[in-house]
Amino acid sequence: MLFKQLFENESSTYTYLISCQDKQEAILIDPVVETLQRDIKILEQMNLKLTYAIDTHIHADHVTSAAALREITNCKVAGPAGDNLTCRDINFKDKDYLIIGNNIKLEAIYTPGHTDTHFSYILKNNFENFLFTGDSLLINSCGRTDFQSGSSKDLYNTIKNIFYNMPNDTKIFPAHDYNKNNYSTIENQKKYNTLIDDKINIEEFIERMNNLKLDKPKKIDIAVPHNNKCGVIE
Ligand SMILES: [Fe+2]
């Protein structure tokens, strides 16, 4: 397996490329339209066929390149079933999985809170666990819950009862980082996450989330309608 973490500057989004060099197949998680040409070039240079373009949720801060990738590479577009998008080829339910190449398995898990339909993905590679958390658990932070049917209570349950029960050495790869951190581990987030460590109770967490006072994402009015159509191109 070959794994690459790619970064889009404007929205500070991480896109993840997971590939099997033997069978020359690849998956992209949370690809961004601004970096479409870069991603196509990487696939070409690495001699990979894109099999799936996957989103963790309906993003509000950037437009997905899923539809454009399908147009160019003929890949399948996948994401949470709860989004109810007719533009997707695969709609994940909890614990569904995809396999590429030599048995590289990506499992989809329902992780609501940031949005009510949000999914994360787990990849087990030999003895390493990679967890792609989207906008649920971020490094030393977590996704906001104040729009797109978000819920601080659901996010608390997702992080505390699903993620923090995973093995401590599980590596966390979020959809964003605004401080150029690349990854963390469950163990470190339990100890050091400033919004949700493993000691905080649900009442305190909800109060913290209610007091974040964040600005509305700049692109939300463009991004959400586009992402409801997989980034468009029909
Ligand atoms: Fe988001």
Side-chain angles (χ1 to χ4, degrees):
M1 184 196 71
L2 206 133
F3 169 74
K4 248 183 192 301
Q5 182 179 43
L6 305 161
F7 189 69
E8 196 281 317
N9 269 312
E10 209 187 316
S11 59
S12 298
T13 301
Y14 282 127
T15 296
Y16 296 97
L17 175 82
I18 299 159
S19 66
C20 171
Q21 298 300 101
D22 278 357
K23 297 273 165 74
Q24 298 174 322
E25 290 180 349
I27 293 173
L28 281 170
I29 299 177
D30 286 335
V32 181
V33 83
E34 272 79 7
T35 40
L36 172 67
Q37 291 312 323
R38 175 202 66 190
D39 296 346
I40 292 293
K41 209 167 165 187
I42 290 171
L43 290 163
E44 282 171 3
Q45 281 168 350
M46 292 174 72
N47 206 13
L48 294 168
K49 177 182 162 29
L50 187 68
T51 45
Y52 301 104
I54 303 173
D55 277 294
T56 50
H57 65 293
I58 306 283
H59 300 279
D61 62 333
H62 69 266
V63 175
T64 176
S65 64
L69 285 165
R70 176 170 54 198
E71 186 77 9
I72 299 166
T73 68
N74 220 10
C75 69
K76 293 211 169 1
V77 170
D83 292 338
N84 280 320
L85 300 193
T86 50
C87 57
R88 288 205 182 121
D89 305 294
I90 296 169
N91 297 291
F92 294 123
K93 294 188 293 310
D94 191 33
K95 301 200 168 51
D96 281 353
Y97 60 87
L98 296 173
I99 290 180
I100 62 156
N102 280 340
N103 218 17
I104 294 175
K105 182 178 171 185
L106 190 76
E107 186 183 350
I109 47 169
Y110 179 46
T111 52
H114 172 61
T115 71
D116 59 347
T117 56
H118 188 287
F119 264 62
S120 302
Y121 303 99
I122 306 170
L123 176 77
K124 290 181 184 155
N125 180 47
N126 296 326
F127 297 104
E128 271 189 315
N129 293 331
F130 295 69
L131 173 64
F132 302 97
T133 56
D135 286 6
S136 51
L137 180 59
L138 305 178
I139 299 172
N140 303 331
S141 181
C142 67
R144 64 196 294 173
T145 55
D146 55 337
F147 55 69
Q148 293 182 287
S149 309
S151 154
S152 300
K153 182 172 168 269
D154 288 351
L155 189 60
Y156 183 90
N157 286 325
T158 286
I159 295 174
K160 294 272 279 197
N161 299 332
I162 302 176
F163 295 154
Y164 286 178
N165 280 324
M166 289 181 177
N168 271 333
D169 60 358
T170 302
K171 289 194 169 77
I172 295 166
F173 292 94
H176 298 288
D177 193 274
Y178 305 97
N179 303 303
K180 296 263 167 93
N181 296 303
N182 294 99
Y183 72 92
S184 182
T185 60
I186 290 291
E187 184 172 25
N188 278 335
Q189 292 312 302
K190 281 187 193 168
K191 281 190 201 156
Y192 306 123
N193 192 299
T194 50
L195 286 176
I196 180 160
D197 62 19
D198 66 347
K199 292 189 188 69
I200 193 169
N201 67 40
I202 192 161
E203 290 79 20
E204 279 175 277
F205 178 68
I206 290 171
E207 198 187 317
R208 240 176 228 185
M209 294 304 282
N210 287 342
N211 288 316
L212 286 180
K213 299 191 176 72
L214 299 167
D215 294 336
K216 183 177 157 184
K218 279 185 245 113
K219 284 191 175 172
I220 191 168
D221 298 326
I222 297 164
V224 171
H226 275 72
N227 290 333
N228 278 329
K229 295 181 176 175
C230 297
V232 194
I233 299 190
E234 278 168 341

